[in-house]
Amino acid sequence: MEMRFEIPDTFWSLFRSVNRDTYIESLLAINEEYQYNNYFLTKEACIQVLSDKNAREHFDLLKEEDENEFDLLETTSSRILNWLLKKGWLKKIEDYSNLVVNIVIPDYAAIFIDAFEHLTNEDMEETEVYIQNVYATLYSFKYDERATLAMLRTALVNTRRLNKVLQDMLHNMDKFFARLLDQESYGDLLSEHLEGFVEDMVQKKYHILKTSDNFYRYKTDIKNTLKEMRDDELWIEKIRERAKAVKDTKDDVLDLLDMIERGFDDIEHRISNMDREHTKYIRATVTRLNYLLSGQTDTKGLVIQLLNKMAAQENPDDMILQTGKKMNLSFLEIISEKSLYKRRKSKKDFISQMAKEEVEEDLEREDVLKLNKVQVRFSKKQIEDFIEENMEGEVMDTSTLVVDSDETFEKLILAYDLSTRKKSRYMVVKKEGDLIENNGYRYPVLQFMRK
C-alpha cells in the first residue's frame, strides 16, 4: 500500500494551526535527538528536549481549537508533545517489560520532517552531492564485477535530481530582480547586490557550478566513462548476461547509458541559461545604479519622480495644474522630437530621395565628437586607470580610498562591475565589516587586486 494512505486526516491540521512554527521547531528538535539516540526516545526524554528548547527560545503557545481546559493545565512541553501525538506526527509504543512509553517518528512524518530540515538548514549543496554520486556510481559500475543495473538506475536518478535542482535555481532568479527594483538608494542597492545576490546566489549556488568548476571537474571523466562503456561490446554483453542471471531485464544497459548522457546534456543547457540570467541581473543592477545616480540631476529622472508623485495622489488634478503653472512640459528635453508614429513615404518618394546625392560639408572636430557622444561617462581604460592610481602595492582598498565627489563614487561602482566580469584583469573581494560613510557616500569594504 502507498505510504500516503497511512497518513491520518488529522495530520494535515499542523499546517493550519496557529502554533505551526512552534510545532515544526519542536519536531526538528525531537528529530535531532532521535538521530543520535541508540534506541527509542522515551516520553520523558522528549519532554526534556522540548523543555530545554523552550527555556532557550520561550515558546508562545496559543490555545488550539480542540484543546480543553484540562489540556491547558499541562506544561508547554507536555502540551506540544500531546498535540503531536494526537495528530499523528509522533507515535507512542508501550514497552510493558520496562514500564516506559517510547516515542517514534512514523515513516510518513519523517519525510515531512526531512523537508522542514532542508528548508531550515543549508548543509552540503545538493549540486555537489549529486555530481559526486554520479561519478562514483559510474566508476564502480564499470570496474566492479558484482555491479548490477541497479547502480546505473541510481546514477540516472541522481542526474535527474541535479537537473531538478538547477531548474529550481533558474526559476527562483525572479525574486532577485524584484528585490532589486525595491531599492531606492545607492547604499541599499549595493547592500542588496553584495549581501543578497552575491552571497546567496553566487557564493552558495552559482559559485559551485562555475567558480569552483565542480560540475566541469567531473563532466569530462563521466562523459569518457560513458563512451568507453558504450564502445566496449564485450563488456555490454557481459552486463546483459549478468542482468539475465538475476532476472533484471526491465531496462537495457545501453538505454540507461543514453538517458544518463542526455541528462548531462540537459545540465549543460541549464547552466548556460543560468549564465544568461546571471548576466541579465548584473546588467539590471548597473542600469539601476545609473538611474539612481542620475535620478536627482537628470531631467528625465526628475520628470519620472514628478510623475510618480502625481500617480500617488488620490486627486492629482490640483497638482497637475500647479505643475503646469511652473513648468513647461513641452520642452524637447522632456518630450522627444521623435514622434511615436511617422507615416511611411511612398516608394516613389523613397526612390527620389535615394537619387539625390546631397554634398555635405566636412564636419569640424567638435561636431564629430558631439555626433559620436556615448551614454557612458567613463571608458574601460579610465576605470582601469582609476584602479591602478589608487592601488597601494597590489591592492586598492576602499577603506583607505577618499571618495569626495560623484565622479569618484561612480568610478568606484563601475570598477566593481568591471572586476566581476570574467575577462577582467582585476578581481574584487568583499571584507567583513560595516559600511563606510565618507563625505556623504556609503559603500562596503572592498579590495581590488590583479588576477
Side-chain angles (χ1 to χ4, degrees):
M1 185 176 70
E2 295 183 19
M3 190 181 297
R4 62 191 178 96
F5 295 115
E6 300 177 15
I7 302 177
D9 294 339
T10 55
F11 180 84
W12 308 106
S13 59
L14 178 138
F15 299 101
R16 301 187 298 270
S17 171
V18 293
N19 301 309
R20 178 175 61 249
D21 294 336
T22 301
Y23 293 144
I24 291 175
E25 291 179 11
S26 302
L27 285 168
L28 292 176
I30 292 174
N31 184 58
E32 183 178 1
E33 186 68 22
Y34 192 79
Q35 292 177 358
Y36 294 103
N37 200 287
N38 294 329
Y39 200 56
F40 297 114
L41 278 180
T42 64
K43 184 177 180 180
E44 290 74 16
C46 289
I47 292 177
Q48 184 62 46
V49 169
L50 296 178
S51 298
D52 293 341
K53 190 170 184 63
N54 185 28
R56 295 192 303 269
E57 302 182 11
H58 303 289
F59 292 144
D60 185 15
L61 197 64
L62 302 178
K63 182 181 181 300
E64 296 286 350
E65 294 180 355
D66 56 350
E67 283 186 318
N68 53 42
E69 295 183 0
F70 293 102
D71 294 328
L72 298 178
L73 295 176
E74 297 281 350
T75 63
T76 302
S77 303
S78 297
R79 282 179 60 194
I80 294 172
L81 183 62
N82 292 336
W83 194 91
L84 294 174
L85 288 168
K86 187 192 307 182
K87 302 304 179 182
W89 283 87
L90 300 175
K91 186 169 64 174
K92 288 194 299 186
I93 294 181
E94 306 283 350
D95 187 351
Y96 296 103
S97 60
N98 295 320
L99 299 178
V100 295
V101 177
N102 294 315
I103 304 297
V104 298
I105 300 176
D107 291 338
Y108 57 82
I111 295 173
F112 284 88
I113 294 174
D114 286 340
F116 295 152
E117 188 75 35
H118 181 73
L119 292 171
T120 305
N121 302 318
E122 289 196 30
D123 297 324
M124 189 177 184
E125 286 293 336
E126 291 181 338
T127 50
E128 186 174 357
V129 174
Y130 292 148
I131 193 66
Q132 291 178 356
N133 285 349
V134 174
Y135 175 76
T137 304
L138 290 177
Y139 190 84
S140 300
F141 178 74
K142 180 179 180 182
Y143 295 105
D144 191 349
E145 295 294 332
R146 299 166 298 175
T148 62
L149 290 180
M151 297 184 70
L152 267 190
R153 295 191 188 99
T154 302
L156 178 60
V157 168
N158 280 287
T159 303
R160 288 173 174 170
R161 287 180 177 175
L162 179 55
N163 265 299
K164 180 64 168 58
V165 170
L166 295 177
Q167 191 73 354
D168 292 342
M169 290 167 55
L170 185 62
H171 289 167
N172 288 328
M173 280 290 292
D174 59 338
K175 68 179 181 182
F176 294 103
F177 286 95
R179 280 159 39 181
L180 178 70
L181 296 175
D182 291 338
Q183 310 308 318
E184 298 294 340
S185 65
Y186 320 122
D188 293 339
L189 182 58
L190 285 176
S191 177
E192 164 61 26
H193 178 70
L194 297 175
E195 299 175 7
F197 181 77
V198 173
E199 291 188 5
D200 189 23
M201 193 66 184
V202 177
Q203 294 183 358
K204 293 181 180 179
K205 293 182 173 64
Y206 190 80
H207 172 85
I208 291 174
L209 299 178
K210 300 294 291 182
T211 311
S212 62
D213 290 332
N214 193 351
F215 171 75
Y216 292 100
R217 185 191 310 162
Y218 296 104
K219 185 199 75 169
T220 303
D221 292 337
I222 290 175
K223 290 268 190 177
N224 291 336
T225 302
L226 291 171
K227 185 177 184 303
E228 290 174 4
M229 287 191 290
R230 186 185 295 105
D231 294 341
D232 193 343
E233 296 181 1
L234 293 177
W235 180 83
I236 293 291
E237 291 301 323
K238 184 178 179 181
I239 294 296
R240 286 172 176 165
E241 292 296 330
R242 193 184 304 167
K244 290 179 182 178
V246 296
K247 298 181 180 180
D248 186 4
T249 58
K250 185 173 76 169
D251 299 307
D252 185 68
V253 58
L254 286 178
D255 293 338
L256 291 173
L257 293 176
D258 289 340
M259 285 190 285
I260 293 173
E261 189 164 14
R262 282 199 300 271
F264 269 82
D265 292 338
D266 292 338
I267 290 172
E268 290 193 80
H269 293 155
R270 285 185 168 87
I271 292 179
S272 176
N273 291 332
M274 285 291 298
D275 289 342
R276 192 177 300 112
E277 290 297 319
H278 177 76
T279 303
K280 284 170 59 178
Y281 178 84
I282 296 299
R283 288 177 179 172
T285 302
V286 175
T287 303
R288 183 69 174 165
L289 283 171
N290 288 332
Y291 169 75
L292 292 176
L293 283 171
S294 62
Q296 301 294 332
T297 57
D298 184 69
T299 304
K300 291 182 179 179
L302 294 172
V303 170
I304 290 174
Q305 290 185 28
L306 176 62
L307 294 176
N308 288 336
K309 191 171 181 179
M310 288 181 178
Q313 301 290 328
E314 294 183 359
N315 186 12
D317 294 339
D318 295 338
M319 190 173 183
I320 293 175
L321 291 175
Q322 293 178 9
T323 304
K325 294 177 181 178
K326 296 181 178 296
M327 293 181 63
N328 185 359
L329 297 180
S330 63
F331 282 147
L332 291 181
E333 293 180 354
I334 300 173
I335 300 177
S336 174
E337 70 277 8
K338 296 181 180 179
S339 61
L340 297 178
Y341 172 76
K342 182 178 287 186
R343 185 183 298 277
R344 292 183 60 185
K345 294 184 179 180
S346 65
K347 184 177 180 181
K348 183 179 179 180
D349 292 336
F350 178 75
I351 295 173
S352 63
Q353 286 181 3
M354 293 296 293
K356 295 179 182 179
E357 294 183 1
E358 297 181 359
V359 179
E360 296 183 357
E361 298 181 359
D362 292 338
L363 297 176
E364 298 293 336
R365 181 175 179 274
E366 293 181 358
D367 296 329
V368 173
L369 291 176
K370 289 181 180 179
L371 290 175
N372 291 281
K373 184 179 179 181
V374 294
Q375 297 297 325
V376 181
R377 292 179 58 188
F378 305 105
S379 64
K380 178 181 177 182
K381 187 177 184 307
Q382 288 178 302
I383 302 303
E384 291 178 346
D385 292 341
F386 170 75
I387 297 175
E388 293 290 341
E389 291 171 1
N390 291 280
M391 275 191 171
E392 296 183 4
E394 297 294 326
V395 178
M396 184 184 86
D397 196 330
T398 57
S399 61
T400 60
L401 183 66
V402 178
V403 179
D404 53 2
S405 64
D406 290 344
E407 178 180 334
T408 306
F409 186 63
E410 187 173 351
K411 284 184 178 180
L412 175 60
I413 295 173
L414 295 176
Y416 172 79
D417 176 58
L418 176 66
S419 302
T420 58
R421 297 180 184 177
K422 185 176 181 181
K423 295 183 180 180
S424 174
R425 294 164 47 194
Y426 305 95
M427 61 182 293
V428 61
V429 178
K430 181 188 175 189
K431 295 296 183 180
E432 296 294 335
D434 298 332
L435 293 176
I436 301 172
E437 293 192 7
N438 194 351
N439 296 322
Y441 300 97
R442 188 171 59 171
Y443 47 90
V445 180
L446 302 172
Q447 287 188 343
F448 296 83
M449 295 169 284
R450 298 186 186 92
K451 289 186 178 177

